[in-house]
Amino acid sequence: MTAHTESLEIRTRGKGTYEITGEVARIVRDSGVRTGLVTVFIQHTSASLIIFENADRSARVDLEAYFERLVPEDSSYFVHTAEGADDSTSHIRMVLTRTSEAIPVADGRMQLGTWQGIFVFEHRRAAHRRTVSVSVVGSGGPGGR
Amino acid sequence: MTAHTESLEIRTRGKGTYEITGEVARIVRDSGVRTGLVTVFIQHTSASLIIFENADRSARVDLEAYFERLVPEDSSYFVHTAEGADDSTSHIRMVLTRTSEAIPVADGRMQLGTWQGIFVFEHRRAAHRRTVSVSVVGSGGPGGR
Amino acid sequence: MTAHTESLEIRTRGKGTYEITGEVARIVRDSGVRTGLVTVFIQHTSASLIIFENADRSARVDLEAYFERLVPEDSSYFVHTAEGADDSTSHIRMVLTRTSEAIPVADGRMQLGTWQGIFVFEHRRAAHRRTVSVSVVGSGGPGGR
């Protein structure tokens, strides 16, 4: 059995979705784990993770437009606004999506579906540097099984 | 330590919730893992997973009615509609629920609460064949501990 | 490799958020796991988990106000109301947040970000006793490596 944990640094350019599937796949490959799971975790409360359609960019355009409507920045009842109008909305959009995803590994590969990509969903207007922690646990590994 | 990954095929009949608790429990049992965790992952972007009240069907009726209102199919601002009015709505309903769930295993059993069931939440109108990947990692297993 | 599963009892005083970060950190520490992951799972369908901003209480005030608006108790179309107006709303608020979170462990510590805390999100008006199951899997452990 092998357990490996590693961090990724993702630079965002403000609100939007940023694919990290390739980086996560590389960590799984390097871990040598053949059977087990990979956990992807974002260490922030104003950005989140999603596993989303990766083929047609228009699906992400709709997603982003939907979240602008679902959690509008001009909601007058918010009190947590020290960092601007995107302060509470960022936390709420984060909580409505995901902080962690756990993905099975078989035959040394993440078991993502054909159209699935892993994305960082940035909720702040400003560019940010985000840290994603990735853990791989399972059988296989550098020393064989 | 044991690591086991297996796939389930679920046939849906269009929009609605489909329980898979029994199938996941069977995989945990067959794995022989006594202490650890089971990861359930759906390989799609227009269907999702939920862990939900499994006793009273009316709770799921309300859930499904709520999602029709929260993410309405007639939203005029969607641009990703190549596959019909349920195209972007399916992706958004998926992202608001779950793609993966990780459930602790103790004494050889998933630690679900009394009223919890695991369901595939189908967001497309048409019937689909869905793949759910299940990974069990922990101590115990066919060869003893 | 080590696998350890343990339960926490959390007493809530009705709707609101209740931090459990310290209790989860203690289980990780006691497990002796140095590299791997911790899975946190709530065994209920009318309370959920969130990983949320832990510094400024006002962020949670906004979150709770937002959910009162997003899933209003006076929605006339709900049929699952046997346990009161907070019956279906509790299940729906739960499904929009999280039942499980998986957090990488490195150097013997959960890889939470600076501002992240783990909270039980109680959706029922009445006080409840909630069970959270915590599983730690990885290398290290009482017996060394």
Side-chain angles (χ1 to χ4, degrees), chain A residues 42-75:
Chain A
I42 188 161
Q43 296 183 332
H44 303 276
T45 61
S46 58
S48 53
L49 294 176
I50 57 173
I51 291 185
F52 206 71
E53 147 87 42
N54 65 356
D56 184 347
R57 179 76 184 84
S58 67
R60 283 149 62 200
V61 170
D62 283 356
L63 175 76
E64 293 165 24
Y66 177 82
F67 269 86
E68 290 295 330
R69 284 169 165 80
L70 184 67
V71 194
E73 290 199 356
D74 59 0
S75 302

PDB file of all heavy atoms in Angstrom, chain A residues 42-75:
ATOM      1  N   ILE A  42      -9.432  21.695  -2.022  1.00  0.00           N
ATOM      2  CA  ILE A  42      -8.991  23.076  -2.191  1.00  0.00           C
ATOM      3  C   ILE A  42      -8.971  23.772  -0.832  1.00  0.00           C
ATOM      4  O   ILE A  42      -9.926  23.686  -0.057  1.00  0.00           O
ATOM      5  CB  ILE A  42      -9.857  23.844  -3.222  1.00  0.00           C
ATOM      6  CG1 ILE A  42      -9.242  25.210  -3.527  1.00  0.00           C
ATOM      7  CG2 ILE A  42     -11.313  23.959  -2.790  1.00  0.00           C
ATOM      8  CD1 ILE A  42      -9.736  25.831  -4.823  1.00  0.00           C
ATOM      9  N   GLN A  43      -7.841  24.411  -0.535  1.00  0.00           N
ATOM     10  CA  GLN A  43      -7.611  24.946   0.820  1.00  0.00           C
ATOM     11  C   GLN A  43      -8.137  26.369   0.976  1.00  0.00           C
ATOM     12  O   GLN A  43      -7.482  27.199   1.608  1.00  0.00           O
ATOM     13  CB  GLN A  43      -6.118  24.917   1.131  1.00  0.00           C
ATOM     14  CG  GLN A  43      -5.528  23.504   1.183  1.00  0.00           C
ATOM     15  CD  GLN A  43      -4.057  23.494   1.573  1.00  0.00           C
ATOM     16  OE1 GLN A  43      -3.343  24.445   1.323  1.00  0.00           O
ATOM     17  NE2 GLN A  43      -3.620  22.414   2.203  1.00  0.00           N
ATOM     18  N   HIS A  44      -9.323  26.659   0.437  1.00  0.00           N
ATOM     19  CA  HIS A  44      -9.830  28.029   0.467  1.00  0.00           C
ATOM     20  C   HIS A  44     -11.333  28.053   0.705  1.00  0.00           C
ATOM     21  O   HIS A  44     -12.013  27.062   0.459  1.00  0.00           O
ATOM     22  CB  HIS A  44      -9.487  28.736  -0.846  1.00  0.00           C
ATOM     23  CG  HIS A  44      -8.027  28.738  -1.128  1.00  0.00           C
ATOM     24  ND1 HIS A  44      -7.173  29.671  -0.593  1.00  0.00           N
ATOM     25  CD2 HIS A  44      -7.252  27.882  -1.836  1.00  0.00           C
ATOM     26  CE1 HIS A  44      -5.935  29.393  -0.978  1.00  0.00           C
ATOM     27  NE2 HIS A  44      -5.946  28.307  -1.723  1.00  0.00           N
ATOM     28  N   THR A  45     -11.814  29.220   1.152  1.00  0.00           N
ATOM     29  CA  THR A  45     -13.254  29.366   1.404  1.00  0.00           C
ATOM     30  C   THR A  45     -13.906  30.373   0.451  1.00  0.00           C
ATOM     31  O   THR A  45     -15.084  30.664   0.595  1.00  0.00           O
ATOM     32  CB  THR A  45     -13.522  29.782   2.861  1.00  0.00           C
ATOM     33  OG1 THR A  45     -12.895  31.054   3.095  1.00  0.00           O
ATOM     34  CG2 THR A  45     -12.996  28.762   3.849  1.00  0.00           C
ATOM     35  N   SER A  46     -13.136  30.867  -0.528  1.00  0.00           N
ATOM     36  CA  SER A  46     -13.744  31.746  -1.533  1.00  0.00           C
ATOM     37  C   SER A  46     -13.437  31.249  -2.953  1.00  0.00           C
ATOM     38  O   SER A  46     -13.558  31.982  -3.929  1.00  0.00           O
ATOM     39  CB  SER A  46     -13.293  33.192  -1.347  1.00  0.00           C
ATOM     40  OG  SER A  46     -11.889  33.297  -1.417  1.00  0.00           O
ATOM     41  N   ALA A  47     -13.040  29.995  -3.037  1.00  0.00           N
ATOM     42  CA  ALA A  47     -12.881  29.290  -4.315  1.00  0.00           C
ATOM     43  C   ALA A  47     -13.263  27.844  -4.033  1.00  0.00           C
ATOM     44  O   ALA A  47     -13.158  27.391  -2.886  1.00  0.00           O
ATOM     45  CB  ALA A  47     -11.444  29.372  -4.826  1.00  0.00           C
ATOM     46  N   SER A  48     -13.714  27.124  -5.046  1.00  0.00           N
ATOM     47  CA  SER A  48     -14.169  25.756  -4.813  1.00  0.00           C
ATOM     48  C   SER A  48     -13.717  24.854  -5.950  1.00  0.00           C
ATOM     49  O   SER A  48     -12.987  25.280  -6.852  1.00  0.00           O
ATOM     50  CB  SER A  48     -15.689  25.723  -4.659  1.00  0.00           C
ATOM     51  OG  SER A  48     -16.323  26.348  -5.750  1.00  0.00           O
ATOM     52  N   LEU A  49     -14.108  23.582  -5.866  1.00  0.00           N
ATOM     53  CA  LEU A  49     -13.831  22.615  -6.922  1.00  0.00           C
ATOM     54  C   LEU A  49     -15.142  22.200  -7.581  1.00  0.00           C
ATOM     55  O   LEU A  49     -16.177  22.146  -6.917  1.00  0.00           O
ATOM     56  CB  LEU A  49     -13.177  21.350  -6.342  1.00  0.00           C
ATOM     57  CG  LEU A  49     -11.795  21.479  -5.732  1.00  0.00           C
ATOM     58  CD1 LEU A  49     -11.376  20.132  -5.124  1.00  0.00           C
ATOM     59  CD2 LEU A  49     -10.769  21.908  -6.783  1.00  0.00           C
ATOM     60  N   ILE A  50     -15.081  21.881  -8.847  1.00  0.00           N
ATOM     61  CA  ILE A  50     -16.200  21.206  -9.501  1.00  0.00           C
ATOM     62  C   ILE A  50     -15.624  20.166 -10.451  1.00  0.00           C
ATOM     63  O   ILE A  50     -14.501  20.293 -10.938  1.00  0.00           O
ATOM     64  CB  ILE A  50     -17.120  22.168 -10.293  1.00  0.00           C
ATOM     65  CG1 ILE A  50     -16.341  22.953 -11.358  1.00  0.00           C
ATOM     66  CG2 ILE A  50     -17.839  23.133  -9.348  1.00  0.00           C
ATOM     67  CD1 ILE A  50     -17.228  23.780 -12.275  1.00  0.00           C
ATOM     68  N   ILE A  51     -16.409  19.104 -10.656  1.00  0.00           N
ATOM     69  CA  ILE A  51     -16.123  18.178 -11.746  1.00  0.00           C
ATOM     70  C   ILE A  51     -17.200  18.466 -12.771  1.00  0.00           C
ATOM     71  O   ILE A  51     -18.387  18.406 -12.465  1.00  0.00           O
ATOM     72  CB  ILE A  51     -16.124  16.722 -11.255  1.00  0.00           C
ATOM     73  CG1 ILE A  51     -14.900  16.517 -10.334  1.00  0.00           C
ATOM     74  CG2 ILE A  51     -16.099  15.751 -12.436  1.00  0.00           C
ATOM     75  CD1 ILE A  51     -14.681  15.100  -9.860  1.00  0.00           C
ATOM     76  N   PHE A  52     -16.783  18.861 -13.981  1.00  0.00           N
ATOM     77  CA  PHE A  52     -17.738  19.442 -14.909  1.00  0.00           C
ATOM     78  C   PHE A  52     -17.408  19.019 -16.328  1.00  0.00           C
ATOM     79  O   PHE A  52     -16.300  18.547 -16.618  1.00  0.00           O
ATOM     80  CB  PHE A  52     -17.668  20.983 -14.789  1.00  0.00           C
ATOM     81  CG  PHE A  52     -18.943  21.681 -15.177  1.00  0.00           C
ATOM     82  CD1 PHE A  52     -20.061  21.586 -14.367  1.00  0.00           C
ATOM     83  CD2 PHE A  52     -19.031  22.420 -16.354  1.00  0.00           C
ATOM     84  CE1 PHE A  52     -21.246  22.223 -14.724  1.00  0.00           C
ATOM     85  CE2 PHE A  52     -20.210  23.047 -16.719  1.00  0.00           C
ATOM     86  CZ  PHE A  52     -21.324  22.959 -15.900  1.00  0.00           C
ATOM     87  N   GLU A  53     -18.400  19.163 -17.177  1.00  0.00           N
ATOM     88  CA  GLU A  53     -18.278  18.982 -18.633  1.00  0.00           C
ATOM     89  C   GLU A  53     -17.033  19.720 -19.134  1.00  0.00           C
ATOM     90  O   GLU A  53     -16.881  20.931 -18.896  1.00  0.00           O
ATOM     91  CB  GLU A  53     -19.562  19.579 -19.240  1.00  0.00           C
ATOM     92  CG  GLU A  53     -19.470  20.222 -20.575  1.00  0.00           C
ATOM     93  CD  GLU A  53     -19.635  19.242 -21.712  1.00  0.00           C
ATOM     94  OE1 GLU A  53     -20.505  18.364 -21.620  1.00  0.00           O
ATOM     95  OE2 GLU A  53     -18.859  19.345 -22.683  1.00  0.00           O
ATOM     96  N   ASN A  54     -16.139  18.984 -19.808  1.00  0.00           N
ATOM     97  CA  ASN A  54     -14.863  19.588 -20.203  1.00  0.00           C
ATOM     98  C   ASN A  54     -14.733  19.828 -21.698  1.00  0.00           C
ATOM     99  O   ASN A  54     -13.689  20.277 -22.173  1.00  0.00           O
ATOM    100  CB  ASN A  54     -13.701  18.707 -19.721  1.00  0.00           C
ATOM    101  CG  ASN A  54     -13.711  17.360 -20.426  1.00  0.00           C
ATOM    102  OD1 ASN A  54     -14.605  17.062 -21.208  1.00  0.00           O
ATOM    103  ND2 ASN A  54     -12.713  16.544 -20.151  1.00  0.00           N
ATOM    104  N   ALA A  55     -15.788  19.497 -22.453  1.00  0.00           N
ATOM    105  CA  ALA A  55     -15.644  19.544 -23.911  1.00  0.00           C
ATOM    106  C   ALA A  55     -16.105  20.887 -24.470  1.00  0.00           C
ATOM    107  O   ALA A  55     -15.394  21.537 -25.218  1.00  0.00           O
ATOM    108  CB  ALA A  55     -16.435  18.407 -24.543  1.00  0.00           C
ATOM    109  N   ASP A  56     -17.297  21.326 -24.076  1.00  0.00           N
ATOM    110  CA  ASP A  56     -17.902  22.500 -24.697  1.00  0.00           C
ATOM    111  C   ASP A  56     -17.871  23.654 -23.698  1.00  0.00           C
ATOM    112  O   ASP A  56     -18.554  23.638 -22.682  1.00  0.00           O
ATOM    113  CB  ASP A  56     -19.349  22.145 -25.083  1.00  0.00           C
ATOM    114  CG  ASP A  56     -20.021  23.289 -25.821  1.00  0.00           C
ATOM    115  OD1 ASP A  56     -19.484  24.419 -25.812  1.00  0.00           O
ATOM    116  OD2 ASP A  56     -21.088  23.043 -26.400  1.00  0.00           O
ATOM    117  N   ARG A  57     -17.071  24.659 -24.009  1.00  0.00           N
ATOM    118  CA  ARG A  57     -16.889  25.809 -23.128  1.00  0.00           C
ATOM    119  C   ARG A  57     -18.213  26.502 -22.764  1.00  0.00           C
ATOM    120  O   ARG A  57     -18.334  27.107 -21.710  1.00  0.00           O
ATOM    121  CB  ARG A  57     -15.933  26.799 -23.818  1.00  0.00           C
ATOM    122  CG  ARG A  57     -15.630  28.097 -23.058  1.00  0.00           C
ATOM    123  CD  ARG A  57     -14.651  27.853 -21.926  1.00  0.00           C
ATOM    124  NE  ARG A  57     -14.428  29.066 -21.123  1.00  0.00           N
ATOM    125  CZ  ARG A  57     -15.222  29.466 -20.119  1.00  0.00           C
ATOM    126  NH1 ARG A  57     -16.276  28.759 -19.789  1.00  0.00           N
ATOM    127  NH2 ARG A  57     -14.931  30.556 -19.446  1.00  0.00           N
ATOM    128  N   SER A  58     -19.227  26.383 -23.637  1.00  0.00           N
ATOM    129  CA  SER A  58     -20.493  27.088 -23.391  1.00  0.00           C
ATOM    130  C   SER A  58     -21.202  26.568 -22.143  1.00  0.00           C
ATOM    131  O   SER A  58     -21.956  27.299 -21.502  1.00  0.00           O
ATOM    132  CB  SER A  58     -21.415  26.995 -24.611  1.00  0.00           C
ATOM    133  OG  SER A  58     -21.850  25.655 -24.803  1.00  0.00           O
ATOM    134  N   ALA A  59     -20.963  25.309 -21.759  1.00  0.00           N
ATOM    135  CA  ALA A  59     -21.580  24.783 -20.537  1.00  0.00           C
ATOM    136  C   ALA A  59     -21.067  25.555 -19.323  1.00  0.00           C
ATOM    137  O   ALA A  59     -21.808  25.841 -18.385  1.00  0.00           O
ATOM    138  CB  ALA A  59     -21.284  23.289 -20.388  1.00  0.00           C
ATOM    139  N   ARG A  60     -19.776  25.924 -19.355  1.00  0.00           N
ATOM    140  CA  ARG A  60     -19.208  26.674 -18.235  1.00  0.00           C
ATOM    141  C   ARG A  60     -19.651  28.138 -18.256  1.00  0.00           C
ATOM    142  O   ARG A  60     -19.804  28.759 -17.205  1.00  0.00           O
ATOM    143  CB  ARG A  60     -17.695  26.537 -18.228  1.00  0.00           C
ATOM    144  CG  ARG A  60     -17.256  25.160 -17.664  1.00  0.00           C
ATOM    145  CD  ARG A  60     -15.978  24.654 -18.281  1.00  0.00           C
ATOM    146  NE  ARG A  60     -14.888  25.547 -18.000  1.00  0.00           N
ATOM    147  CZ  ARG A  60     -13.741  25.580 -18.709  1.00  0.00           C
ATOM    148  NH1 ARG A  60     -13.581  24.783 -19.751  1.00  0.00           N
ATOM    149  NH2 ARG A  60     -12.795  26.402 -18.368  1.00  0.00           N
ATOM    150  N   VAL A  61     -19.891  28.673 -19.436  1.00  0.00           N
ATOM    151  CA  VAL A  61     -20.449  30.030 -19.532  1.00  0.00           C
ATOM    152  C   VAL A  61     -21.816  30.061 -18.835  1.00  0.00           C
ATOM    153  O   VAL A  61     -22.103  30.963 -18.040  1.00  0.00           O
ATOM    154  CB  VAL A  61     -20.577  30.459 -21.016  1.00  0.00           C
ATOM    155  CG1 VAL A  61     -21.384  31.755 -21.142  1.00  0.00           C
ATOM    156  CG2 VAL A  61     -19.190  30.613 -21.633  1.00  0.00           C
ATOM    157  N   ASP A  62     -22.656  29.068 -19.106  1.00  0.00           N
ATOM    158  CA  ASP A  62     -23.981  29.017 -18.479  1.00  0.00           C
ATOM    159  C   ASP A  62     -23.866  28.829 -16.966  1.00  0.00           C
ATOM    160  O   ASP A  62     -24.616  29.427 -16.202  1.00  0.00           O
ATOM    161  CB  ASP A  62     -24.807  27.865 -19.076  1.00  0.00           C
ATOM    162  CG  ASP A  62     -25.372  28.209 -20.453  1.00  0.00           C
ATOM    163  OD1 ASP A  62     -25.178  29.356 -20.903  1.00  0.00           O
ATOM    164  OD2 ASP A  62     -26.003  27.333 -21.060  1.00  0.00           O
ATOM    165  N   LEU A  63     -22.944  27.976 -16.563  1.00  0.00           N
ATOM    166  CA  LEU A  63     -22.746  27.741 -15.130  1.00  0.00           C
ATOM    167  C   LEU A  63     -22.399  29.046 -14.414  1.00  0.00           C
ATOM    168  O   LEU A  63     -22.963  29.380 -13.366  1.00  0.00           O
ATOM    169  CB  LEU A  63     -21.614  26.735 -14.926  1.00  0.00           C
ATOM    170  CG  LEU A  63     -21.221  26.482 -13.473  1.00  0.00           C
ATOM    171  CD1 LEU A  63     -22.254  25.598 -12.793  1.00  0.00           C
ATOM    172  CD2 LEU A  63     -19.841  25.857 -13.373  1.00  0.00           C
ATOM    173  N   GLU A  64     -21.462  29.779 -14.987  1.00  0.00           N
ATOM    174  CA  GLU A  64     -21.011  31.008 -14.344  1.00  0.00           C
ATOM    175  C   GLU A  64     -22.135  32.055 -14.324  1.00  0.00           C
ATOM    176  O   GLU A  64     -22.345  32.735 -13.317  1.00  0.00           O
ATOM    177  CB  GLU A  64     -19.727  31.507 -15.030  1.00  0.00           C
ATOM    178  CG  GLU A  64     -18.564  30.537 -14.789  1.00  0.00           C
ATOM    179  CD  GLU A  64     -17.348  30.749 -15.706  1.00  0.00           C
ATOM    180  OE1 GLU A  64     -17.172  31.868 -16.220  1.00  0.00           O
ATOM    181  OE2 GLU A  64     -16.569  29.779 -15.896  1.00  0.00           O
ATOM    182  N   ALA A  65     -22.899  32.133 -15.407  1.00  0.00           N
ATOM    183  CA  ALA A  65     -24.032  33.076 -15.448  1.00  0.00           C
ATOM    184  C   ALA A  65     -25.096  32.679 -14.415  1.00  0.00           C
ATOM    185  O   ALA A  65     -25.684  33.530 -13.739  1.00  0.00           O
ATOM    186  CB  ALA A  65     -24.639  33.089 -16.849  1.00  0.00           C
ATOM    187  N   TYR A  66     -25.323  31.377 -14.297  1.00  0.00           N
ATOM    188  CA  TYR A  66     -26.316  30.894 -13.327  1.00  0.00           C
ATOM    189  C   TYR A  66     -25.916  31.287 -11.907  1.00  0.00           C
ATOM    190  O   TYR A  66     -26.748  31.771 -11.126  1.00  0.00           O
ATOM    191  CB  TYR A  66     -26.451  29.375 -13.451  1.00  0.00           C
ATOM    192  CG  TYR A  66     -27.410  28.814 -12.423  1.00  0.00           C
ATOM    193  CD1 TYR A  66     -28.785  28.844 -12.641  1.00  0.00           C
ATOM    194  CD2 TYR A  66     -26.938  28.289 -11.215  1.00  0.00           C
ATOM    195  CE1 TYR A  66     -29.665  28.371 -11.686  1.00  0.00           C
ATOM    196  CE2 TYR A  66     -27.812  27.811 -10.268  1.00  0.00           C
ATOM    197  CZ  TYR A  66     -29.175  27.846 -10.505  1.00  0.00           C
ATOM    198  OH  TYR A  66     -30.049  27.389  -9.553  1.00  0.00           O
ATOM    199  N   PHE A  67     -24.648  31.102 -11.549  1.00  0.00           N
ATOM    200  CA  PHE A  67     -24.215  31.432 -10.186  1.00  0.00           C
ATOM    201  C   PHE A  67     -24.285  32.934  -9.909  1.00  0.00           C
ATOM    202  O   PHE A  67     -24.533  33.337  -8.770  1.00  0.00           O
ATOM    203  CB  PHE A  67     -22.818  30.861  -9.899  1.00  0.00           C
ATOM    204  CG  PHE A  67     -22.899  29.484  -9.304  1.00  0.00           C
ATOM    205  CD1 PHE A  67     -23.000  28.356 -10.098  1.00  0.00           C
ATOM    206  CD2 PHE A  67     -22.936  29.303  -7.926  1.00  0.00           C
ATOM    207  CE1 PHE A  67     -23.118  27.089  -9.550  1.00  0.00           C
ATOM    208  CE2 PHE A  67     -23.057  28.036  -7.362  1.00  0.00           C
ATOM    209  CZ  PHE A  67     -23.149  26.931  -8.171  1.00  0.00           C
ATOM    210  N   GLU A  68     -24.077  33.763 -10.936  1.00  0.00           N
ATOM    211  CA  GLU A  68     -24.235  35.208 -10.731  1.00  0.00           C
ATOM    212  C   GLU A  68     -25.676  35.540 -10.349  1.00  0.00           C
ATOM    213  O   GLU A  68     -25.929  36.465  -9.572  1.00  0.00           O
ATOM    214  CB  GLU A  68     -23.834  35.991 -11.991  1.00  0.00           C
ATOM    215  CG  GLU A  68     -22.342  35.969 -12.296  1.00  0.00           C
ATOM    216  CD  GLU A  68     -21.491  36.664 -11.241  1.00  0.00           C
ATOM    217  OE1 GLU A  68     -21.962  37.617 -10.600  1.00  0.00           O
ATOM    218  OE2 GLU A  68     -20.341  36.226 -11.039  1.00  0.00           O
ATOM    219  N   ARG A  69     -26.621  34.774 -10.914  1.00  0.00           N
ATOM    220  CA  ARG A  69     -28.030  34.997 -10.584  1.00  0.00           C
ATOM    221  C   ARG A  69     -28.420  34.339  -9.261  1.00  0.00           C
ATOM    222  O   ARG A  69     -29.207  34.883  -8.496  1.00  0.00           O
ATOM    223  CB  ARG A  69     -28.918  34.423 -11.686  1.00  0.00           C
ATOM    224  CG  ARG A  69     -28.955  35.304 -12.925  1.00  0.00           C
ATOM    225  CD  ARG A  69     -29.631  34.566 -14.077  1.00  0.00           C
ATOM    226  NE  ARG A  69     -30.008  35.468 -15.144  1.00  0.00           N
ATOM    227  CZ  ARG A  69     -29.173  35.936 -16.069  1.00  0.00           C
ATOM    228  NH1 ARG A  69     -27.902  35.607 -16.044  1.00  0.00           N
ATOM    229  NH2 ARG A  69     -29.610  36.745 -17.033  1.00  0.00           N
ATOM    230  N   LEU A  70     -27.893  33.145  -9.014  1.00  0.00           N
ATOM    231  CA  LEU A  70     -28.301  32.395  -7.815  1.00  0.00           C
ATOM    232  C   LEU A  70     -27.826  33.092  -6.546  1.00  0.00           C
ATOM    233  O   LEU A  70     -28.521  33.080  -5.519  1.00  0.00           O
ATOM    234  CB  LEU A  70     -27.728  30.968  -7.876  1.00  0.00           C
ATOM    235  CG  LEU A  70     -28.141  30.032  -6.737  1.00  0.00           C
ATOM    236  CD1 LEU A  70     -29.649  29.726  -6.813  1.00  0.00           C
ATOM    237  CD2 LEU A  70     -27.358  28.721  -6.779  1.00  0.00           C
ATOM    238  N   VAL A  71     -26.629  33.660  -6.590  1.00  0.00           N
ATOM    239  CA  VAL A  71     -26.047  34.326  -5.416  1.00  0.00           C
ATOM    240  C   VAL A  71     -25.611  35.727  -5.861  1.00  0.00           C
ATOM    241  O   VAL A  71     -24.428  35.985  -6.078  1.00  0.00           O
ATOM    242  CB  VAL A  71     -24.838  33.545  -4.863  1.00  0.00           C
ATOM    243  CG1 VAL A  71     -24.474  34.043  -3.463  1.00  0.00           C
ATOM    244  CG2 VAL A  71     -25.088  32.034  -4.825  1.00  0.00           C
ATOM    245  N   PRO A  72     -26.572  36.644  -6.002  1.00  0.00           N
ATOM    246  CA  PRO A  72     -26.241  37.958  -6.567  1.00  0.00           C
ATOM    247  C   PRO A  72     -25.412  38.819  -5.626  1.00  0.00           C
ATOM    248  O   PRO A  72     -25.623  38.808  -4.406  1.00  0.00           O
ATOM    249  CB  PRO A  72     -27.610  38.607  -6.828  1.00  0.00           C
ATOM    250  CG  PRO A  72     -28.633  37.729  -6.217  1.00  0.00           C
ATOM    251  CD  PRO A  72     -27.996  36.459  -5.751  1.00  0.00           C
ATOM    252  N   GLU A  73     -24.485  39.564  -6.208  1.00  0.00           N
ATOM    253  CA  GLU A  73     -23.587  40.396  -5.397  1.00  0.00           C
ATOM    254  C   GLU A  73     -24.307  41.566  -4.742  1.00  0.00           C
ATOM    255  O   GLU A  73     -23.821  42.106  -3.747  1.00  0.00           O
ATOM    256  CB  GLU A  73     -22.439  40.926  -6.269  1.00  0.00           C
ATOM    257  CG  GLU A  73     -21.464  39.835  -6.675  1.00  0.00           C
ATOM    258  CD  GLU A  73     -20.117  40.394  -7.127  1.00  0.00           C
ATOM    259  OE1 GLU A  73     -19.962  41.616  -7.202  1.00  0.00           O
ATOM    260  OE2 GLU A  73     -19.220  39.567  -7.392  1.00  0.00           O
ATOM    261  N   ASP A  74     -25.456  41.957  -5.282  1.00  0.00           N
ATOM    262  CA  ASP A  74     -26.131  43.126  -4.721  1.00  0.00           C
ATOM    263  C   ASP A  74     -27.159  42.758  -3.646  1.00  0.00           C
ATOM    264  O   ASP A  74     -28.016  43.575  -3.326  1.00  0.00           O
ATOM    265  CB  ASP A  74     -26.785  43.937  -5.834  1.00  0.00           C
ATOM    266  CG  ASP A  74     -27.805  43.097  -6.605  1.00  0.00           C
ATOM    267  OD1 ASP A  74     -27.990  41.911  -6.279  1.00  0.00           O
ATOM    268  OD2 ASP A  74     -28.414  43.631  -7.535  1.00  0.00           O
ATOM    269  N   SER A  75     -27.079  41.555  -3.092  1.00  0.00           N
ATOM    270  CA  SER A  75     -28.023  41.157  -2.041  1.00  0.00           C
ATOM    271  C   SER A  75     -27.861  42.109  -0.856  1.00  0.00           C
ATOM    272  O   SER A  75     -26.805  42.156  -0.226  1.00  0.00           O
ATOM    273  CB  SER A  75     -27.730  39.721  -1.598  1.00  0.00           C
ATOM    274  OG  SER A  75     -27.828  38.863  -2.713  1.00  0.00           O
TER     275      SER A  75
END
